[in-house]
Amino acid sequence: MRVLAQVAMVMNLDKCIGCHTCSVTCKQTWTNRPGVEYAWFNNVETKPGVGYPRRYEDQEHWKGGWALDGRGRLVLRSGGRARRLLSLFANPDLPSVEDYYEPVTYDYDHLVSAPAGPDLPVARPRSLLTGRPAAVTWGANWEDGLGGAPEHAGDDPNLSGSWAEKVRFEFEQTFLFHLPRLCEHCLNPACVAACPSGALYKRVEDGIVLVDQDRCRGWRMCVTACPYKKVYVNHATGKAEKCTFCFPRVEAGRPTVCSETCVGRLRYLGLLLYDADRVAGAAATPDARDLLEAQRDVFLDPRDPEVAAAARESGIPEDWLDAARRSPVHDLVVRHRIALPLHPEYRTLPMVWYVPPLSPVLDAVTGAGGDQDDPDHVFAAVTRLRIPLEYLAELFTAGDTDVVAGVLMKLTALRSYMRRRALGEPGDDAALKAVRLTPGDAEELHRLLAVAKYADRYVVPAAHREDAAALGALENRCPVESPAGRRVPLGMPTLRRSGGGRP
Ligand code: SF4
Ligand code: SF4
């Protein structure tokens, strides 16, 4: 057992109001510079929708993430080392500016410098790439609130199954929810494995994936390999850039900017301990529907004395162990199992997890003439929700609707129980028992999901610079070997930290 710690995030999608504050504050902090005008390290998509860049989830087309070869070995979809080298100068699997969008500014100067005339002057859009007048026809947030859905949303790659006929875009038959996205800081990052220069690396001490700007040669293999399309090329420097998980803040024990400013207070940050020796095996799990469980199996219980001893041996400091025991992420992902990873079938073992959205389920019960206190009526409503289970399953469980239904039933039972408690109504705990929750679990989940304070949502221990050398010496190797046996440069020493994420 080789214990490592990872700073991870959970988002509760029921509470996202799609205000984009997270995206804007992230942009102001990290990408408000020439060359990355089009880049949003954090973006918020409306689902259903094609996303940003367009149809990024279509891996048949973009070749992102990992797949299993005929012998069950993990291989990058973008091909082995030979294929990547052959396409160094002409990579066919890169999104173009049309797939992202052409960033524009407005000719504000014209408003004050136009000569006097009969018409009011206007500020026309100008391309930030060419400086020429531009037509605004797409954007990172074009589909916000289902804008243009009848025309575009049918192209959402998640709507490929026969069940997709259930999804309608006519007024009063639609559903939508917001999906905030950032780099997943994966346990098995395809971007790191694809980089020919060793510029991308995963920090051994906290799992944050960064780009070393001095090593990056601009080959862009990472852009192709990332199935979430969360590596961007800076057109001014020609180098790759990506979400840094706000590492200077995290090192100081502070939450990321997107978390700190989230209006819905739906983000949680905390540590997960994991067994690095089990990562490669989990990522190579044969059936994609078993990947969620395989990834959960990689996580370790920080309260287990054996795990704690192994963690100490790995050089994980005592206050980090304590933080791992108080981690809201561990509670939501491992203990209560209500958070799910985005597209586990990409096999990168993503570390930003989501509590799936529950459409107004109690209304659905009463609307169908049911009893809100009858578990059978309440759970039956889960299968009739406005957001089809199949759609959520495509996003979070590689198509396994039973797992999504199980999570939604837990949330439904919790809601029904707490509602009765709040109204002082009598009743038993049948709904809770049916989903194997105790009243104590329900109280704890309610506290976490509904009323958690700042200190409960963000449990981020400060970095230990005095341990940098020990951590670097401990492990400078990767839990995942590339198919060619080449070591993926994962787990770089802390000493690279200061130069690591330089944007
Ligand atoms: S989500 Fe982040 S860590 Fe994972 S492959 Fe993409 S860029 Fe790399
Ligand atoms: S700030 Fe929070 S509520 Fe607003 S869009 Fe971002 S994640 Fe959603």
Side-chain angles (χ1 to χ4, degrees):
M1 177 162 49
R2 192 157 53 100
V3 183
L4 292 181
Q6 165 99 29
V7 185
M9 186 184 285
V10 170
M11 294 192 231
N12 180 1
L13 293 184
D14 250 341
K15 296 171 86 177
C16 180
I17 56 172
C19 66
H20 302 273
T21 309
C22 48
S23 304
V24 172
T25 50
C26 172
K27 182 131 197 86
Q28 284 295 92
T29 308
W30 292 105
T31 56
N32 193 11
R33 293 170 286 116
V36 279
E37 295 92 345
Y38 77 103
W40 295 82
F41 289 173
N42 183 105
N43 74 294
V44 182
E45 294 166 3
T46 294
K47 287 290 181 192
V50 297
Y52 158 80
R54 295 188 217 212
R55 290 180 57 82
Y56 70 92
E57 291 156 296
D58 180 359
Q59 304 313 334
E60 292 298 319
H61 180 75
W62 297 117
K63 311 274 190 293
W66 302 85
L68 298 182
D69 69 7
R71 289 198 274 165
R73 293 176 311 181
L74 209 53
V75 290
L76 285 171
R77 268 185 188 274
S78 53
R81 207 172 178 194
R83 183 178 185 272
R84 291 204 301 281
L85 283 175
L86 284 175
S87 55
L88 267 188
F89 298 103
N91 182 348
D93 304 315
L94 281 176
S96 66
V97 75
E98 286 77 32
D99 296 305
Y100 294 100
Y101 72 107
E102 184 163 15
V104 296
T105 184
Y106 291 87
D107 199 355
Y108 297 111
D109 189 51
H110 185 65
L111 296 178
V112 290
S113 62
D119 302 317
L120 277 178
V122 293
R124 292 191 187 285
R126 280 192 181 277
S127 167
L128 278 168
L129 301 181
T130 64
R132 289 200 289 270
V136 181
T137 56
W138 193 254
N141 193 22
W142 195 260
E143 306 168 290
D144 198 29
L146 288 182
E151 198 182 334
H152 302 292
D155 286 339
D156 178 339
N158 301 297
L159 293 176
S160 56
S162 53
W163 57 268
E165 285 170 16
K166 282 191 204 171
V167 177
R168 304 197 187 287
F169 295 109
E170 289 100 33
F171 189 58
E172 290 193 338
Q173 290 186 305
T174 57
F175 68 90
L176 73 87
F177 60 95
H178 298 285
L179 181 72
R181 290 203 306 118
L182 61 153
C183 165
E184 300 277 345
H185 297 277
C186 308
L187 288 185
N188 180 30
C191 58
V192 173
C195 177
S197 318
L200 274 138
Y201 62 102
K202 187 169 176 71
R203 300 206 305 191
V204 73
E205 64 272 36
D206 56 16
I208 295 177
V209 175
L210 295 173
V211 186
D212 183 333
Q213 294 290 294
D214 297 329
R215 281 195 179 190
C216 178
R217 296 286 172 267
W219 299 123
R220 307 177 185 201
M221 295 298 157
C222 49
V223 180
T224 299
C226 172
Y228 302 94
K229 289 293 168 275
K230 279 295 173 186
V231 190
Y232 304 86
V233 175
N234 182 322
H235 295 294
T237 64
K239 306 212 175 196
E241 293 190 16
K242 62 178 288 302
C243 159
T244 65
F245 225 49
C246 291
F247 71 89
R249 291 176 59 93
V250 167
E251 286 174 5
R254 308 278 304 274
T256 62
V257 166
C258 57
S259 304
E260 174 97 43
T261 58
C262 174
V263 173
R265 300 184 178 186
L266 57 97
R267 297 187 185 224
Y268 302 80
L269 282 172
L271 290 183
L272 278 172
L273 299 186
Y274 68 98
D275 183 354
D277 289 335
R278 300 217 298 257
V279 167
T285 300
D287 186 339
R289 292 189 175 192
D290 295 333
L291 278 162
L292 164 63
E293 219 38 59
Q295 186 171 0
R296 280 211 181 105
D297 281 348
V298 166
F299 302 138
L300 300 168
D301 180 358
R303 292 182 175 86
D304 181 335
E306 207 178 306
V307 170
R312 286 186 195 103
E313 206 172 302
S314 296
I316 294 176
E318 211 55 47
D319 58 333
W320 279 53
L321 261 176
D322 178 52
R325 292 186 194 108
R326 293 182 292 113
S327 166
V329 172
H330 185 268
D331 286 346
L332 294 170
V333 170
V334 183
R335 277 190 63 213
H336 296 300
R337 303 163 70 86
I338 58 167
L340 302 170
L342 183 61
H343 289 302
E345 72 275 16
Y346 297 164
R347 299 179 181 274
T348 60
L349 308 188
M351 292 304 282
V352 174
W353 291 52
Y354 296 88
V355 178
L358 188 63
S359 15
V361 66
L362 296 184
D363 286 353
V365 178
T366 41
D371 177 358
Q372 289 195 3
D373 291 331
D374 184 330
D376 290 339
H377 291 189
V378 171
F379 294 149
V382 165
T383 58
R384 297 195 305 270
L385 290 178
R386 200 97 170 235
I387 306 178
L389 285 181
E390 292 90 341
Y391 188 76
L392 295 176
E394 286 293 317
L395 284 176
F396 300 118
T397 59
D400 189 338
T401 49
D402 289 348
V403 175
V404 176
V407 171
L408 295 184
M409 283 179 185
K410 250 186 201 175
L411 294 173
T412 307
L414 173 67
R415 205 173 276 195
S416 161
Y417 174 77
M418 292 311 296
R419 174 184 160 279
R420 247 193 13 250
R421 285 269 318 264
L423 296 176
E425 290 175 357
D428 62 20
D429 308 332
L432 283 188
K433 280 186 193 136
V435 292
R436 297 199 183 90
L437 281 180
T438 65
D441 291 334
E443 292 286 343
E444 188 181 322
L445 269 177
H446 172 255
R447 184 185 56 76
L448 253 183
L449 294 176
V451 295
K453 300 280 183 244
Y454 189 97
D456 301 319
R457 281 180 280 129
Y458 313 130
V459 181
V460 185
H464 279 246
R465 286 198 175 273
E466 71 277 15
D467 289 340
L471 280 167
L474 171 76
E475 284 301 345
N476 191 12
R477 66 188 172 91
C478 170
V480 181
E481 299 273 315
S482 77
R486 183 175 70 94
R487 275 210 191 142
V488 180
L490 198 64
M492 301 302 287
T494 315
L495 297 176
R496 289 191 65 200
R497 176 187 281 167
S498 53
R502 187 162 57 83

